[in-house]
Amino acid sequence: MSLLLIPAIDLKDGQCVRLRQGNLSEVTVFSNDPGEMAARWITQGARRIHVVDLNGAVAGRPRNDAALKSIIKAAGDIPVQVGGGIRDLETVERMLDDGASFVVMGTAAVKNPGLLKDACAAFLGQIIVSIDAKDGKVATDGWSKLSGHEVIDLARKFEDDGVEAILYTDIGRDGMLTGINHEATLSLARAVSIPVIASGGISGLEDIKILAGLEDEGIMGAILGRAVYEGQLDFAKAQELADQLGGD
């Protein structure tokens, strides 16, 4: 297998946007047609789509249902993973019923461990946990609050609960194009036996080379955001490189 590169579609008020360090006041709008954006990435070779409902992350429940459905419809057989405001089992079930292949839980997983355990039991193989961190501490509530949890301690607990994968984001690098924090990502991947998806700061082919070289350590994929939207990184070339390095 090769490193799975996953383009992110961040939704705010029905539009495809990118933020800097999760700051909702620093928004760049890239498209008014989320479905078309998903189709564009798939045409370029994407094998999975990552969707974040930014309004939902703040409100505590999904707010961009129509946009999400348009993405899932455009994706067809390509898996879509969705997060943002998923804080109860009913919402998890609704997202999966709407056609999402995976549900990403973040704040709810940290604040309500029982919910995560129930979700993993009810929807085995379809729950991904998002660990968003700054200086080694886990953040919640759309990155607005820092908790006292250490990343690796929490990850091991989530592993025991039966999550499918861990999505690890270094908030300080997200949207800044400063390069992936591969040291912290690698430390996490080595601490657990479930796959880790890297996120935050990926800026060029050098990051892809580094992460592809760490695939045997448990890093299965990477979320691509601002770099591919602003043209700093060509998605098709990046996935082609990952495939070459992975032997596909």
Side-chain angles (χ1 to χ4, degrees), residues 3-243:
L3 188 74
L4 182 67
L5 301 185
I6 311 170
I9 299 179
D10 288 1
L11 299 173
K12 184 175 185 290
D13 305 330
Q15 299 176 312
C16 302
V17 306
R18 297 302 299 167
L19 309 181
R20 292 184 187 276
Q21 297 180 312
N23 188 340
L24 281 167
S25 66
E26 291 196 44
V27 180
T28 306
V29 177
F30 284 98
S31 172
N32 293 314
D33 188 339
E36 187 276 330
M37 183 62 75
R40 172 180 148 190
W41 294 130
I42 292 165
T43 300
Q44 293 186 32
R47 295 168 198 157
R48 188 185 293 193
I49 301 290
H50 178 70
V51 181
V52 181
D53 184 335
L54 296 172
N55 300 105
V58 175
R61 56 191 175 124
R63 295 290 199 186
N64 285 277
D65 288 0
L68 173 62
K69 286 176 181 175
S70 73
I71 291 168
I72 291 170
K73 183 178 179 181
D77 294 334
I78 299 294
V80 175
Q81 58 187 51
V82 58
I86 298 172
R87 313 263 166 98
D88 55 57
L89 277 181
E90 290 78 13
T91 305
V92 174
E93 187 170 19
R94 180 159 60 85
M95 294 291 109
L96 296 172
D97 284 347
D98 283 346
S101 297
F102 305 95
V103 169
V104 182
M105 299 180 72
T107 296
V110 178
K111 292 186 166 184
N112 189 349
L115 170 64
L116 177 68
K117 201 161 193 168
D118 290 346
C120 289
F123 309 105
L124 187 65
Q126 294 183 286
I127 305 298
I128 295 171
V129 166
S130 174
I131 296 182
D132 307 320
K134 190 170 187 178
D135 302 324
K137 297 291 185 182
V138 177
T140 62
D141 298 275
W143 298 358
S144 63
K145 298 175 184 174
L146 277 183
S147 74
H149 294 287
E150 297 286 342
V151 170
I152 288 175
D153 292 343
L154 202 58
R156 285 178 172 149
K157 183 185 174 307
F158 292 156
E159 179 181 22
D160 291 341
D161 288 336
V163 302
E164 179 69 9
I166 292 172
L167 170 58
Y168 176 69
T169 303
D170 182 329
I171 298 172
R173 301 199 184 202
D174 187 75
M176 301 305 288
L177 302 176
T178 51
I180 191 78
N181 186 343
H182 63 273
E183 297 96 340
T185 309
L186 177 59
S187 294
L188 173 59
R190 284 175 170 167
V192 295
S193 60
I194 52 176
V196 171
I197 301 170
S199 175
I202 294 174
S203 59
L205 290 177
E206 192 57 38
D207 286 314
I208 306 303
K209 288 178 188 173
I210 290 170
L211 292 172
L214 300 175
E215 199 182 352
D216 289 344
E217 301 277 4
I219 297 175
M220 67 163 281
I223 305 292
L224 302 186
R226 186 171 287 273
V228 291
Y229 279 94
E230 294 190 346
Q232 185 163 325
L233 179 63
D234 182 295
F235 182 86
K237 287 182 179 175
Q239 186 63 71
E240 187 180 337
L241 174 64
D243 290 345

